[in-house]
Amino acid sequence: MTARLAHKRILLGISGGIAAYKSAELVRRLRDAGADVRVVMTPAAQEFITPLTLQALSGNPVHLDLLSPAAEAAMGHIELARWADLVLVAPASADCMARLAQGLANDLLSTLWLATRAKLAVAPAMNQQMWAADVTQDNLALLRARGVAVFGPASGSQACGDVGEGRMLEALALVECCAEQFETGRLTGRRVVITAGPTREALDPVRYLSNHSSGKMGFAIALACVEAGAQVTLIAGPVALPTPPRLQRIDVISADSMLAASLQAAAGADVFVATAAVADYRPATVAEQKIKKTADVIQFELVKNPDIVAAVAALPEKPLVVGFAAETENVVAHAREKLLRKKLDMIACNDVARADIGFQSDDNALTVIWPEGHCVLDKASKTQIARELVGLMADRLQDVMEGRVDK
Ligand code: PMT
């Protein structure tokens, strides 16, 4: 369970109800499982538990107001909506569920609920008679129909003295429910190879040519593939990122070593995803000793590196090959050209001239192109974008497996 929630961003919405006291324990347990937690409280929730308690337990400021200039300046509600991987409302009171089902946006929590592309979940908590009321059940059905996960409620004795259904699940059970949200099973039994990060091409023992890739996009895709049930090999250039859980990581430095690792790992793989920013050229010779600073002008001869993704796409038993395109102009047109020239099944392009996405950023925005179509993935966290891309890859793989399209 712990591994599945490591580094997941959980936005916990707390609405007004006596079960709000259990949310404190829930925050602790989510953090124990490795999740980053931010808390949003409705005004009614603050009657039951203080923001200070939740701030101390979550390690982050608690978000209370929609219209507070100070809060908006710190982390605006749209930014918060984008930040989350999962929005869980626990406890979700009858009133809160009604407002979420109707799409009202009259406080911070209900506005975030509408503004996010993250997974959505509620943990209902209310008196058993309120839970059984037709209108509550209708609202619940509406939420479920829109893909909202419903955790619980449990049955038992209630704070009001009644006995019946309507108790919020205990913290540990809710943590398990959250973890389950990140398992899609779309790539169960599939083997996926991903390249990530930059390559370094040595000039001498201390200097190299490289680029700004941090590896974040490739690592997010690797994690999304693990969550989708795949067996993942992550071939990483030199990056400063921890290894995501439950995958095999192979560290490489240069394009040549990335090529060798890729060809070996791609044999028998179902999908190959080339997120790495491979240096297109390398110095023709590598000086044995540190180059001395004697000349005013120095020239280097560069030779073309092998094209890794094209080499994998040319394998006789090739996997489904998904490339990336990092462009600064005519993004989609250049990506289409690469899709055809490198004989890829799919290509995801991003505008790396933008400072808010692409290299280094925690966010990205992609246009994903395949021979018969395309899909725009609007700006979101790389974690979220990776999940959406993995969904498209799984669709494509299924089309290939069921003979609807060729690789
Ligand atoms: O790592 P981050 O900081 O998170 O940034 C993410 C990213 C911007 C690096 C990523 O989203 C991205 O765009 N990756 C592709 C970078 C790139 O090298 O693009 P390209 O257009 O130059 O290459 C096209 C494709 O060919 C890519 O799939 C690339 O991996 C592959 N290629 C390129 C050259 C080469 N010699 N071998 C290759 O396999």
Side-chain angles (χ1 to χ4, degrees):
M1 173 178 75
T2 308
R4 281 178 284 164
L5 284 179
H7 308 300
K8 294 293 182 301
R9 295 161 165 190
I10 299 190
L11 191 58
L12 177 64
I14 305 180
S15 68
I18 186 64
Y21 79 91
K22 290 189 187 174
S23 305
E25 174 72 359
L26 176 58
V27 172
R28 282 193 52 197
R29 296 297 187 175
L30 286 169
R31 290 195 74 198
D32 288 349
D36 292 337
V37 183
R38 285 184 174 267
V39 176
V40 177
M41 298 177 79
T42 65
Q46 295 165 54
E47 302 291 331
F48 292 91
I49 184 167
T50 70
L52 197 59
T53 304
L54 292 153
Q55 176 175 313
L57 291 171
S58 68
N60 283 310
V62 171
H63 304 267
L64 306 171
D65 298 314
L66 179 59
L67 302 173
S68 145
E72 282 296 294
M75 192 180 204
H77 65 280
I78 297 294
E79 216 177 322
L80 198 53
R82 277 200 194 121
W83 174 87
D85 295 323
L86 169 70
V87 179
L88 166 64
V89 182
S93 64
D95 169 72
C96 182
M97 278 175 42
R99 287 188 297 116
L100 299 180
Q102 294 308 317
L104 301 189
N106 54 359
D107 63 9
L108 181 58
L109 178 56
S110 53
T111 304
L112 286 167
W113 184 266
L114 286 187
T116 191
R117 273 157 66 198
K119 294 163 190 284
L120 298 171
V122 290
M126 65 197 75
N127 163 270
Q128 51 88 22
Q129 200 62 49
M130 292 170 76
W131 173 250
D134 288 347
V135 64
T136 304
Q137 292 301 313
D138 287 350
N139 288 330
L140 183 74
L142 266 177
L143 291 169
R144 278 208 168 104
R146 296 194 190 114
V148 175
V150 180
F151 301 161
S155 211
S157 63
Q158 301 198 300
C160 54
D162 280 5
V163 176
E165 220 179 344
R167 280 170 59 96
M168 186 165 95
L169 291 185
E170 297 304 323
L172 275 180
L174 286 175
V175 172
E176 184 56 43
C177 292
C178 289
E180 280 168 11
Q181 292 306 301
F182 295 99
E183 300 287 334
T184 67
R186 292 289 320 272
L187 292 174
T188 300
R190 303 286 174 210
R191 214 162 72 65
V192 181
V193 179
I194 297 149
T195 65
T199 63
R200 281 182 190 167
E201 311 300 328
L203 282 159
D204 70 11
V206 298
R207 303 185 182 92
Y208 54 81
L209 298 178
S210 192
N211 58 61
H212 297 297
S213 173
S214 63
K216 287 178 187 171
M217 190 69 249
F219 275 54
I221 293 171
L223 189 54
C225 288
V226 169
E227 285 170 9
Q231 186 192 333
V232 175
T233 303
L234 173 60
I235 302 171
V239 295
L241 295 175
T243 307
R246 295 185 287 160
L247 56 72
Q248 183 200 15
R249 172 171 173 172
I250 300 171
D251 286 311
V252 296
I253 304 285
S254 64
D256 271 340
S257 55
M258 187 174 274
L259 174 70
S262 297
L263 289 177
Q264 193 172 11
D270 297 289
V271 184
F272 182 84
V273 190
T275 322
V278 184
D280 287 325
Y281 292 89
R282 67 175 184 277
T285 53
V286 183
E288 267 180 36
Q289 305 300 331
K290 183 179 170 192
I291 299 166
K292 289 293 171 202
K293 199 170 58 179
T294 46
D296 285 342
V297 176
I298 190 165
Q299 288 188 334
F300 293 102
E301 195 185 357
L302 301 178
V303 295
K304 215 174 200 174
N305 264 330
D307 194 305
I308 299 168
V309 75
V312 172
L315 289 172
E317 299 286 318
K318 78 174 185 94
L320 185 91
V321 183
V322 181
F324 263 70
E327 306 293 346
T328 54
E329 53 168 1
N330 300 329
V331 176
V332 170
H334 285 313
R336 277 192 197 286
E337 185 276 320
K338 283 178 183 168
L339 176 79
L340 295 176
R341 177 164 47 85
K342 300 190 184 208
K343 298 191 166 44
L344 310 177
D345 297 291
M346 195 176 247
I347 195 159
C349 55
N350 41 195
D351 183 346
V352 289
R354 280 173 61 178
D356 62 327
I357 59 165
F359 286 122
Q360 304 274 339
S361 170
D362 287 337
D363 296 332
N364 211 354
L366 297 176
T367 301
V368 185
I369 305 166
W370 56 95
E372 308 82 17
H374 76 280
C375 177
V376 174
L377 304 181
D378 290 331
K379 181 176 166 181
S381 70
K382 282 183 176 166
T383 314
Q384 177 66 23
I385 288 275
R387 271 193 212 117
E388 293 173 11
L389 177 62
V390 167
L392 293 173
M393 282 162 32
D395 289 345
R396 186 78 189 168
L397 192 60
Q398 198 171 344
D399 282 347
V400 170
M401 296 295 168
E402 292 172 8
R404 283 187 289 276
V405 294
D406 290 331
K407 267 196 289 187

PDB file of all heavy atoms in Angstrom, residues 323-351:
ATOM      1  N   GLY A 323       7.085   8.002 -29.139  1.00  0.00           N
ATOM      2  CA  GLY A 323       8.153   8.992 -29.042  1.00  0.00           C
ATOM      3  C   GLY A 323       7.649  10.279 -28.418  1.00  0.00           C
ATOM      4  O   GLY A 323       6.449  10.461 -28.206  1.00  0.00           O
ATOM      5  N   PHE A 324       8.571  11.148 -28.121  1.00  0.00           N
ATOM      6  CA  PHE A 324       8.249  12.503 -27.674  1.00  0.00           C
ATOM      7  C   PHE A 324       8.859  13.466 -28.683  1.00  0.00           C
ATOM      8  O   PHE A 324       9.809  13.111 -29.401  1.00  0.00           O
ATOM      9  CB  PHE A 324       8.844  12.771 -26.290  1.00  0.00           C
ATOM     10  CG  PHE A 324       7.853  12.551 -25.177  1.00  0.00           C
ATOM     11  CD1 PHE A 324       7.429  11.269 -24.873  1.00  0.00           C
ATOM     12  CD2 PHE A 324       7.349  13.621 -24.452  1.00  0.00           C
ATOM     13  CE1 PHE A 324       6.514  11.060 -23.854  1.00  0.00           C
ATOM     14  CE2 PHE A 324       6.431  13.421 -23.436  1.00  0.00           C
ATOM     15  CZ  PHE A 324       6.006  12.142 -23.133  1.00  0.00           C
ATOM     16  N   ALA A 325       8.353  14.675 -28.740  1.00  0.00           N
ATOM     17  CA  ALA A 325       8.981  15.704 -29.559  1.00  0.00           C
ATOM     18  C   ALA A 325       9.047  16.973 -28.728  1.00  0.00           C
ATOM     19  O   ALA A 325       8.028  17.461 -28.241  1.00  0.00           O
ATOM     20  CB  ALA A 325       8.192  15.945 -30.837  1.00  0.00           C
ATOM     21  N   ALA A 326      10.257  17.462 -28.538  1.00  0.00           N
ATOM     22  CA  ALA A 326      10.460  18.725 -27.812  1.00  0.00           C
ATOM     23  C   ALA A 326      10.698  19.789 -28.868  1.00  0.00           C
ATOM     24  O   ALA A 326      11.711  19.753 -29.564  1.00  0.00           O
ATOM     25  CB  ALA A 326      11.668  18.596 -26.895  1.00  0.00           C
ATOM     26  N   GLU A 327       9.746  20.695 -29.005  1.00  0.00           N
ATOM     27  CA  GLU A 327       9.824  21.688 -30.077  1.00  0.00           C
ATOM     28  C   GLU A 327       9.695  23.091 -29.505  1.00  0.00           C
ATOM     29  O   GLU A 327       9.118  23.285 -28.434  1.00  0.00           O
ATOM     30  CB  GLU A 327       8.686  21.460 -31.096  1.00  0.00           C
ATOM     31  CG  GLU A 327       8.612  20.055 -31.665  1.00  0.00           C
ATOM     32  CD  GLU A 327       9.807  19.685 -32.541  1.00  0.00           C
ATOM     33  OE1 GLU A 327      10.570  20.599 -32.931  1.00  0.00           O
ATOM     34  OE2 GLU A 327      10.008  18.488 -32.816  1.00  0.00           O
ATOM     35  N   THR A 328      10.204  24.066 -30.269  1.00  0.00           N
ATOM     36  CA  THR A 328      10.075  25.462 -29.847  1.00  0.00           C
ATOM     37  C   THR A 328       9.233  26.273 -30.835  1.00  0.00           C
ATOM     38  O   THR A 328       8.921  27.430 -30.581  1.00  0.00           O
ATOM     39  CB  THR A 328      11.462  26.122 -29.717  1.00  0.00           C
ATOM     40  OG1 THR A 328      12.153  25.946 -30.961  1.00  0.00           O
ATOM     41  CG2 THR A 328      12.278  25.503 -28.592  1.00  0.00           C
ATOM     42  N   GLU A 329       8.890  25.687 -31.973  1.00  0.00           N
ATOM     43  CA  GLU A 329       8.015  26.356 -32.950  1.00  0.00           C
ATOM     44  C   GLU A 329       7.336  25.274 -33.784  1.00  0.00           C
ATOM     45  O   GLU A 329       7.843  24.146 -33.861  1.00  0.00           O
ATOM     46  CB  GLU A 329       8.834  27.279 -33.863  1.00  0.00           C
ATOM     47  CG  GLU A 329       9.985  26.532 -34.507  1.00  0.00           C
ATOM     48  CD  GLU A 329      10.669  27.263 -35.634  1.00  0.00           C
ATOM     49  OE1 GLU A 329      10.283  28.390 -35.935  1.00  0.00           O
ATOM     50  OE2 GLU A 329      11.581  26.664 -36.224  1.00  0.00           O
ATOM     51  N   ASN A 330       6.224  25.623 -34.416  1.00  0.00           N
ATOM     52  CA  ASN A 330       5.469  24.655 -35.244  1.00  0.00           C
ATOM     53  C   ASN A 330       5.453  23.269 -34.598  1.00  0.00           C
ATOM     54  O   ASN A 330       5.794  22.257 -35.224  1.00  0.00           O
ATOM     55  CB  ASN A 330       6.090  24.538 -36.643  1.00  0.00           C
ATOM     56  CG  ASN A 330       6.092  25.868 -37.363  1.00  0.00           C
ATOM     57  OD1 ASN A 330       5.204  26.692 -37.142  1.00  0.00           O
ATOM     58  ND2 ASN A 330       7.102  26.102 -38.184  1.00  0.00           N
ATOM     59  N   VAL A 331       5.044  23.270 -33.333  1.00  0.00           N
ATOM     60  CA  VAL A 331       5.206  22.065 -32.498  1.00  0.00           C
ATOM     61  C   VAL A 331       4.548  20.827 -33.128  1.00  0.00           C
ATOM     62  O   VAL A 331       5.188  19.781 -33.287  1.00  0.00           O
ATOM     63  CB  VAL A 331       4.618  22.345 -31.089  1.00  0.00           C
ATOM     64  CG1 VAL A 331       4.665  21.104 -30.215  1.00  0.00           C
ATOM     65  CG2 VAL A 331       5.377  23.496 -30.433  1.00  0.00           C
ATOM     66  N   VAL A 332       3.282  20.980 -33.516  1.00  0.00           N
ATOM     67  CA  VAL A 332       2.540  19.807 -34.000  1.00  0.00           C
ATOM     68  C   VAL A 332       3.069  19.358 -35.360  1.00  0.00           C
ATOM     69  O   VAL A 332       3.235  18.156 -35.603  1.00  0.00           O
ATOM     70  CB  VAL A 332       1.026  20.128 -34.029  1.00  0.00           C
ATOM     71  CG1 VAL A 332       0.243  19.032 -34.744  1.00  0.00           C
ATOM     72  CG2 VAL A 332       0.510  20.301 -32.596  1.00  0.00           C
ATOM     73  N   ALA A 333       3.369  20.317 -36.236  1.00  0.00           N
ATOM     74  CA  ALA A 333       3.862  19.958 -37.580  1.00  0.00           C
ATOM     75  C   ALA A 333       5.195  19.218 -37.478  1.00  0.00           C
ATOM     76  O   ALA A 333       5.392  18.173 -38.126  1.00  0.00           O
ATOM     77  CB  ALA A 333       4.020  21.227 -38.422  1.00  0.00           C
ATOM     78  N   HIS A 334       6.097  19.709 -36.643  1.00  0.00           N
ATOM     79  CA  HIS A 334       7.392  19.032 -36.488  1.00  0.00           C
ATOM     80  C   HIS A 334       7.201  17.637 -35.884  1.00  0.00           C
ATOM     81  O   HIS A 334       7.889  16.684 -36.252  1.00  0.00           O
ATOM     82  CB  HIS A 334       8.328  19.852 -35.599  1.00  0.00           C
ATOM     83  CG  HIS A 334       8.905  21.058 -36.298  1.00  0.00           C
ATOM     84  ND1 HIS A 334       9.438  21.005 -37.555  1.00  0.00           N
ATOM     85  CD2 HIS A 334       9.026  22.340 -35.894  1.00  0.00           C
ATOM     86  CE1 HIS A 334       9.865  22.205 -37.911  1.00  0.00           C
ATOM     87  NE2 HIS A 334       9.620  23.042 -36.916  1.00  0.00           N
ATOM     88  N   ALA A 335       6.264  17.537 -34.952  1.00  0.00           N
ATOM     89  CA  ALA A 335       6.032  16.235 -34.316  1.00  0.00           C
ATOM     90  C   ALA A 335       5.482  15.234 -35.330  1.00  0.00           C
ATOM     91  O   ALA A 335       5.902  14.070 -35.352  1.00  0.00           O
ATOM     92  CB  ALA A 335       5.078  16.395 -33.136  1.00  0.00           C
ATOM     93  N   ARG A 336       4.548  15.674 -36.164  1.00  0.00           N
ATOM     94  CA  ARG A 336       3.991  14.781 -37.197  1.00  0.00           C
ATOM     95  C   ARG A 336       5.100  14.267 -38.115  1.00  0.00           C
ATOM     96  O   ARG A 336       5.128  13.097 -38.490  1.00  0.00           O
ATOM     97  CB  ARG A 336       2.962  15.528 -38.050  1.00  0.00           C
ATOM     98  CG  ARG A 336       1.603  15.570 -37.436  1.00  0.00           C
ATOM     99  CD  ARG A 336       0.560  16.066 -38.442  1.00  0.00           C
ATOM    100  NE  ARG A 336      -0.637  16.468 -37.732  1.00  0.00           N
ATOM    101  CZ  ARG A 336      -1.502  15.626 -37.187  1.00  0.00           C
ATOM    102  NH1 ARG A 336      -1.318  14.314 -37.313  1.00  0.00           N
ATOM    103  NH2 ARG A 336      -2.546  16.054 -36.517  1.00  0.00           N
ATOM    104  N   GLU A 337       6.013  15.158 -38.450  1.00  0.00           N
ATOM    105  CA  GLU A 337       7.119  14.771 -39.331  1.00  0.00           C
ATOM    106  C   GLU A 337       7.970  13.696 -38.639  1.00  0.00           C
ATOM    107  O   GLU A 337       8.355  12.699 -39.252  1.00  0.00           O
ATOM    108  CB  GLU A 337       7.929  16.039 -39.660  1.00  0.00           C
ATOM    109  CG  GLU A 337       9.066  15.864 -40.663  1.00  0.00           C
ATOM    110  CD  GLU A 337      10.352  15.366 -40.009  1.00  0.00           C
ATOM    111  OE1 GLU A 337      10.686  15.815 -38.884  1.00  0.00           O
ATOM    112  OE2 GLU A 337      11.014  14.515 -40.624  1.00  0.00           O
ATOM    113  N   LYS A 338       8.196  13.854 -37.331  1.00  0.00           N
ATOM    114  CA  LYS A 338       9.012  12.863 -36.589  1.00  0.00           C
ATOM    115  C   LYS A 338       8.274  11.531 -36.468  1.00  0.00           C
ATOM    116  O   LYS A 338       8.890  10.465 -36.524  1.00  0.00           O
ATOM    117  CB  LYS A 338       9.359  13.394 -35.194  1.00  0.00           C
ATOM    118  CG  LYS A 338      10.481  14.419 -35.234  1.00  0.00           C
ATOM    119  CD  LYS A 338      10.825  15.005 -33.872  1.00  0.00           C
ATOM    120  CE  LYS A 338      11.896  16.066 -34.048  1.00  0.00           C
ATOM    121  NZ  LYS A 338      12.117  16.882 -32.856  1.00  0.00           N
ATOM    122  N   LEU A 339       6.957  11.605 -36.288  1.00  0.00           N
ATOM    123  CA  LEU A 339       6.146  10.384 -36.192  1.00  0.00           C
ATOM    124  C   LEU A 339       6.358   9.524 -37.442  1.00  0.00           C
ATOM    125  O   LEU A 339       6.576   8.306 -37.357  1.00  0.00           O
ATOM    126  CB  LEU A 339       4.666  10.771 -36.057  1.00  0.00           C
ATOM    127  CG  LEU A 339       3.637   9.637 -36.030  1.00  0.00           C
ATOM    128  CD1 LEU A 339       3.586   8.991 -34.652  1.00  0.00           C
ATOM    129  CD2 LEU A 339       2.231  10.141 -36.379  1.00  0.00           C
ATOM    130  N   LEU A 340       6.324  10.186 -38.611  1.00  0.00           N
ATOM    131  CA  LEU A 340       6.451   9.457 -39.879  1.00  0.00           C
ATOM    132  C   LEU A 340       7.892   9.024 -40.121  1.00  0.00           C
ATOM    133  O   LEU A 340       8.173   7.866 -40.418  1.00  0.00           O
ATOM    134  CB  LEU A 340       5.984  10.341 -41.040  1.00  0.00           C
ATOM    135  CG  LEU A 340       4.495  10.711 -41.019  1.00  0.00           C
ATOM    136  CD1 LEU A 340       4.167  11.656 -42.159  1.00  0.00           C
ATOM    137  CD2 LEU A 340       3.631   9.454 -41.104  1.00  0.00           C
ATOM    138  N   ARG A 341       8.822   9.995 -39.957  1.00  0.00           N
ATOM    139  CA  ARG A 341      10.224   9.708 -40.296  1.00  0.00           C
ATOM    140  C   ARG A 341      10.798   8.593 -39.432  1.00  0.00           C
ATOM    141  O   ARG A 341      11.515   7.726 -39.907  1.00  0.00           O
ATOM    142  CB  ARG A 341      11.069  10.991 -40.157  1.00  0.00           C
ATOM    143  CG  ARG A 341      12.554  10.782 -40.429  1.00  0.00           C
ATOM    144  CD  ARG A 341      13.284  12.095 -40.658  1.00  0.00           C
ATOM    145  NE  ARG A 341      12.984  13.115 -39.678  1.00  0.00           N
ATOM    146  CZ  ARG A 341      13.597  13.233 -38.493  1.00  0.00           C
ATOM    147  NH1 ARG A 341      14.549  12.396 -38.149  1.00  0.00           N
ATOM    148  NH2 ARG A 341      13.259  14.207 -37.664  1.00  0.00           N
ATOM    149  N   LYS A 342      10.435   8.599 -38.124  1.00  0.00           N
ATOM    150  CA  LYS A 342      11.010   7.599 -37.221  1.00  0.00           C
ATOM    151  C   LYS A 342      10.152   6.340 -37.140  1.00  0.00           C
ATOM    152  O   LYS A 342      10.442   5.438 -36.365  1.00  0.00           O
ATOM    153  CB  LYS A 342      11.200   8.215 -35.831  1.00  0.00           C
ATOM    154  CG  LYS A 342      12.132   9.439 -35.837  1.00  0.00           C
ATOM    155  CD  LYS A 342      12.505   9.897 -34.444  1.00  0.00           C
ATOM    156  CE  LYS A 342      13.347  11.162 -34.497  1.00  0.00           C
ATOM    157  NZ  LYS A 342      14.249  11.292 -33.360  1.00  0.00           N
ATOM    158  N   LYS A 343       9.049   6.332 -37.900  1.00  0.00           N
ATOM    159  CA  LYS A 343       8.138   5.171 -37.959  1.00  0.00           C
ATOM    160  C   LYS A 343       7.605   4.808 -36.561  1.00  0.00           C
ATOM    161  O   LYS A 343       7.671   3.642 -36.122  1.00  0.00           O
ATOM    162  CB  LYS A 343       8.817   3.973 -38.616  1.00  0.00           C
ATOM    163  CG  LYS A 343       9.227   4.238 -40.068  1.00  0.00           C
ATOM    164  CD  LYS A 343       9.635   2.965 -40.762  1.00  0.00           C
ATOM    165  CE  LYS A 343       9.729   3.067 -42.263  1.00  0.00           C
ATOM    166  NZ  LYS A 343      10.390   4.247 -42.813  1.00  0.00           N
ATOM    167  N   LEU A 344       7.078   5.826 -35.877  1.00  0.00           N
ATOM    168  CA  LEU A 344       6.563   5.625 -34.524  1.00  0.00           C
ATOM    169  C   LEU A 344       5.070   5.310 -34.590  1.00  0.00           C
ATOM    170  O   LEU A 344       4.396   5.620 -35.588  1.00  0.00           O
ATOM    171  CB  LEU A 344       6.784   6.889 -33.683  1.00  0.00           C
ATOM    172  CG  LEU A 344       8.205   7.467 -33.708  1.00  0.00           C
ATOM    173  CD1 LEU A 344       8.284   8.750 -32.893  1.00  0.00           C
ATOM    174  CD2 LEU A 344       9.202   6.439 -33.178  1.00  0.00           C
ATOM    175  N   ASP A 345       4.547   4.740 -33.502  1.00  0.00           N
ATOM    176  CA  ASP A 345       3.106   4.475 -33.429  1.00  0.00           C
ATOM    177  C   ASP A 345       2.363   5.670 -32.863  1.00  0.00           C
ATOM    178  O   ASP A 345       1.178   5.859 -33.103  1.00  0.00           O
ATOM    179  CB  ASP A 345       2.860   3.256 -32.525  1.00  0.00           C
ATOM    180  CG  ASP A 345       3.489   2.015 -33.124  1.00  0.00           C
ATOM    181  OD1 ASP A 345       2.993   1.558 -34.165  1.00  0.00           O
ATOM    182  OD2 ASP A 345       4.507   1.537 -32.576  1.00  0.00           O
ATOM    183  N   MET A 346       3.087   6.471 -32.081  1.00  0.00           N
ATOM    184  CA  MET A 346       2.449   7.587 -31.389  1.00  0.00           C
ATOM    185  C   MET A 346       3.550   8.571 -31.017  1.00  0.00           C
ATOM    186  O   MET A 346       4.678   8.150 -30.758  1.00  0.00           O
ATOM    187  CB  MET A 346       1.800   7.014 -30.127  1.00  0.00           C
ATOM    188  CG  MET A 346       0.802   7.881 -29.448  1.00  0.00           C
ATOM    189  SD  MET A 346       0.083   6.944 -28.056  1.00  0.00           S
ATOM    190  CE  MET A 346      -1.568   6.733 -28.612  1.00  0.00           C
ATOM    191  N   ILE A 347       3.217   9.850 -30.993  1.00  0.00           N
ATOM    192  CA  ILE A 347       4.218  10.823 -30.525  1.00  0.00           C
ATOM    193  C   ILE A 347       3.527  11.864 -29.650  1.00  0.00           C
ATOM    194  O   ILE A 347       2.393  12.262 -29.931  1.00  0.00           O
ATOM    195  CB  ILE A 347       4.982  11.457 -31.712  1.00  0.00           C
ATOM    196  CG1 ILE A 347       6.244  12.175 -31.214  1.00  0.00           C
ATOM    197  CG2 ILE A 347       4.119  12.427 -32.513  1.00  0.00           C
ATOM    198  CD1 ILE A 347       7.302  12.392 -32.297  1.00  0.00           C
ATOM    199  N   ALA A 348       4.195  12.248 -28.591  1.00  0.00           N
ATOM    200  CA  ALA A 348       3.651  13.254 -27.673  1.00  0.00           C
ATOM    201  C   ALA A 348       4.546  14.483 -27.789  1.00  0.00           C
ATOM    202  O   ALA A 348       5.746  14.389 -27.544  1.00  0.00           O
ATOM    203  CB  ALA A 348       3.672  12.721 -26.245  1.00  0.00           C
ATOM    204  N   CYS A 349       3.957  15.615 -28.183  1.00  0.00           N
ATOM    205  CA  CYS A 349       4.829  16.777 -28.355  1.00  0.00           C
ATOM    206  C   CYS A 349       4.530  17.849 -27.320  1.00  0.00           C
ATOM    207  O   CYS A 349       3.405  18.011 -26.877  1.00  0.00           O
ATOM    208  CB  CYS A 349       4.745  17.334 -29.771  1.00  0.00           C
ATOM    209  SG  CYS A 349       3.117  17.753 -30.337  1.00  0.00           S
ATOM    210  N   ASN A 350       5.600  18.536 -26.933  1.00  0.00           N
ATOM    211  CA  ASN A 350       5.453  19.649 -25.979  1.00  0.00           C
ATOM    212  C   ASN A 350       6.251  20.845 -26.463  1.00  0.00           C
ATOM    213  O   ASN A 350       7.252  20.717 -27.181  1.00  0.00           O
ATOM    214  CB  ASN A 350       5.824  19.272 -24.546  1.00  0.00           C
ATOM    215  CG  ASN A 350       7.035  18.397 -24.379  1.00  0.00           C
ATOM    216  OD1 ASN A 350       7.239  17.834 -23.316  1.00  0.00           O
ATOM    217  ND2 ASN A 350       7.864  18.271 -25.400  1.00  0.00           N
ATOM    218  N   ASP A 351       5.759  22.022 -26.059  1.00  0.00           N
ATOM    219  CA  ASP A 351       6.380  23.278 -26.460  1.00  0.00           C
ATOM    220  C   ASP A 351       7.428  23.640 -25.400  1.00  0.00           C
ATOM    221  O   ASP A 351       7.097  24.163 -24.339  1.00  0.00           O
ATOM    222  CB  ASP A 351       5.305  24.363 -26.552  1.00  0.00           C
ATOM    223  CG  ASP A 351       5.867  25.688 -27.033  1.00  0.00           C
ATOM    224  OD1 ASP A 351       7.114  25.839 -27.047  1.00  0.00           O
ATOM    225  OD2 ASP A 351       5.067  26.567 -27.375  1.00  0.00           O
TER     226      ASP A 351
END
